[in-house]
Amino acid sequence: MQILTLEHFASRLHETFTVDLGHGKSPFVLIEAKPLAAPALRGMLRAPFSLLFHHVSPVLFPQRIYQMESPGIGDFGVFLVPVARNQDGFLYQAVFN
């Protein structure tokens, strides 16, 4: 299992990631990648960070682990939480700590 860090995502803003929704795959666009303020603890494998994805859909997907795919990163599981709605769809956050 690959330990993902902020550096994996920081250069991929506005790129499309493919998410397996169980009944097909759908595009999610990375709109934010930022570090989280947290003290460094001995034994931490990475610094905490947050990702924000936008999905153009009137359907709200529940928070859960989704299989995500990116040509530059590969396949990985990510826990997505819906955090906001805008006129074009929904925003989903993933927190890595």
Side-chain angles (χ1 to χ4, degrees):
M1 182 172 96
Q2 179 182 13
I3 301 296
L4 297 173
T5 64
L6 178 60
E7 290 71 32
H8 286 98
F9 297 93
S11 64
R12 292 181 160 71
L13 289 178
H14 309 293
E15 283 189 18
T16 299
F17 289 69
T18 303
V19 174
D20 185 348
L21 298 173
H23 57 277
K25 295 186 177 186
S26 191
F28 282 65
V29 177
L30 179 63
I31 61 170
E32 180 181 274
K34 67 178 185 178
L36 295 176
L41 301 174
R42 191 169 38 164
M44 286 180 73
L45 298 177
R46 65 174 160 229
F49 65 99
S50 169
L51 303 175
L52 197 60
F53 293 91
H54 183 258
H55 186 265
V56 180
S57 173
V59 176
L60 174 67
F61 301 114
Q63 70 179 27
R64 69 177 181 92
I65 297 173
Y66 292 92
Q67 261 323 103
M68 185 172 275
E69 168 182 342
S70 164
I73 298 173
D75 295 338
F76 57 97
V78 62
F79 189 78
L80 293 177
V81 177
V83 293
R85 183 178 189 169
N86 64 19
Q87 63 199 29
D88 299 323
F90 288 93
L91 300 177
Y92 296 85
Q93 184 180 35
V95 174
F96 294 79
N97 51 30

